[in-house]
Amino acid sequence: MLTDKPRASPSSSRELTIVQALREALREEMRRDDQVFVLGEDIRIGGSFLFTLGLLDEFGPERVLNTPISEAGFVGLAIGAAIQGLRPIIDFQYGDFIFTAFDQIMQQCAKLRYMSGGQVSIPLVFQLPTGASGRGAQHANSVETVFFGIPGLKIVTPATPFDAKGLFKSALRDNNPVLFCVHKHLYGSRGRQLAASSISRGHVPDDEYLVPLGKGDIKKRGADITLVANGLMLHRSLNVAEALEAEGLSVEVVDPRCLVPFDTELVIDSVVRTSRLVIVEEGNERGGWGSQLAAEIASQAIGYLDAPIMRVAAPNVPVPFSPVLESAVIPDERQIRSAILELMEH
């Protein structure tokens, strides 16, 4: 069944964290299709975020493959396996480590279908913990921002357990390479900080469902201003929107869910109704997906805007190691609130 809304009946769903929802999706797809397998560093004991916990016992070492610390090597292996008809998933300990395999991804993975005139498909999913989480500049990159401009890759950024499971199953069934980027504060793995938000945990149906790639979702309806955010920033934006609601300001919160393909039409429809737009992303402001969205809205819907488009993003510096400085760099609820109120003055 194809759907993008959770079932309302509590008897047909459980409250899960994102990592539990992803693990369930992976297990179901591995049972459904014996061509699906997973590889990565230390995944036989669950991996860094426990994404593969318990899978070795059910599927064995031939489908749950531990790899050496050689990202370029095992990404190349996975590309070759995908060309031969298998459906690999690579679990990265941290999404930041994918940069050591950049040539394999940009020059091979993203281009082979195009270069072969469609004779070759690369059904390959990269499971990538992204974003800052107190671990310094080399473990804090917004991976989705870096790869956003590369043709041939789909990029998914789920922020809720329901979306994570449905999108992951769709990604595994897609015949193109998919970067599946989950913020490190959203997994909900044991011993790891979980974002403070009303949607950090959520009901996930027992029944089979898919969330289509490229279709966004309105997480909160509003009339006064449109706010587009993804990942951890979606959670912070919802917290702000709910607080402002009590003060009489109605904020519509749009979750793109996928950056490539991007549901621009959903944002335009919202802007037509509200006439104001704030875009919030964790990545650096320069070259971010928010700048592309702002350009498209300016091109297609500028006549509906009553105020300039406002962006909230990290400044163009690496993420600091100091927790105090990291907090100053990564957009927070205070900055989001300030941007909304400033825009409402226009």
Side-chain angles (χ1 to χ4, degrees), residues 136-322:
Q138 294 175 328
H139 295 72
N141 292 283
S142 293
V143 177
E144 64 279 8
T145 301
V146 178
F147 285 94
F148 179 69
I150 298 177
L153 302 173
K154 295 186 176 183
I155 303 177
V156 184
T157 59
T160 71
F162 175 86
D163 290 344
K165 181 175 180 180
L167 288 165
F168 195 71
K169 291 172 79 72
S170 292
L172 289 180
R173 301 181 191 189
D174 200 277
N175 286 325
N176 299 283
V178 179
L179 273 60
F180 202 90
C181 305
V182 179
H183 196 282
K184 299 179 182 84
H185 284 325
L186 297 185
Y187 281 97
S189 305
R190 291 195 306 268
R192 292 186 179 271
Q193 180 180 346
L194 181 61
S197 166
S198 61
I199 60 170
S200 293
R201 298 175 184 271
H203 290 293
V204 176
D206 290 317
D207 297 337
E208 167 83 359
Y209 73 95
L210 303 175
V211 175
L213 304 185
K215 185 175 182 182
D217 186 44
I218 297 176
K219 290 295 191 285
K220 178 186 174 299
R221 291 281 178 180
D224 297 326
I225 189 167
T226 297
L227 193 157
V228 182
N230 71 330
L232 179 62
M233 294 300 109
L234 175 72
H235 292 251
R236 294 182 177 176
S237 297
L238 276 171
N239 289 342
V240 172
E242 289 165 3
L244 288 173
E245 192 81 30
E247 301 175 24
L249 182 60
S250 180
V251 180
E252 181 149 295
V253 181
V254 179
D255 177 7
R257 300 197 291 199
C258 291
L259 300 184
V260 182
F262 197 101
D263 193 352
T264 307
E265 183 178 348
L266 181 68
V267 179
I268 291 175
D269 289 345
S270 179
V271 167
V272 167
R273 286 184 281 105
T274 68
S275 302
R276 287 175 170 83
L277 175 62
V278 176
I279 303 169
V280 185
E281 59 183 311
E282 180 173 321
N284 300 118
E285 183 178 36
R286 185 175 62 236
W289 61 265
S291 60
Q292 177 65 27
L293 176 59
E296 293 189 21
I297 298 301
S299 172
Q300 301 180 51
I302 195 168
Y304 294 99
L305 294 172
D306 291 339
I309 298 169
M310 184 166 287
R311 294 181 59 207
V312 180
N316 297 312
V317 298
V319 176
F321 175 75
S322 162

Side-chain angles (χ1 to χ4, degrees), residues 9-87:
S9 172
S11 62
S12 66
S13 64
R14 296 83 16 90
E15 190 167 272
L16 303 179
T17 62
I18 281 184
V19 75
Q20 290 170 329
L22 287 176
R23 195 161 55 230
E24 186 169 275
L26 178 55
R27 179 176 283 111
E28 290 175 4
E29 290 301 295
M30 291 181 75
R31 290 171 179 168
R32 187 187 67 85
D33 185 352
D34 61 11
Q35 301 303 301
V36 176
F37 72 100
V38 61
L39 67 159
E41 297 162 1
D42 294 331
I43 65 168
R44 288 181 179 171
I45 58 173
S48 291
F49 289 83
L50 306 183
F51 168 62
T52 57
L53 185 67
L55 294 181
L56 177 65
D57 293 338
E58 179 172 356
F59 299 104
E62 291 186 355
R63 297 181 68 191
V64 182
L65 306 179
N66 269 352
T67 65
I69 304 175
S70 176
E71 286 77 8
F74 62 72
V75 168
L77 182 153
I79 293 170
I83 290 172
Q84 292 299 312
L86 299 177
R87 309 190 78 88

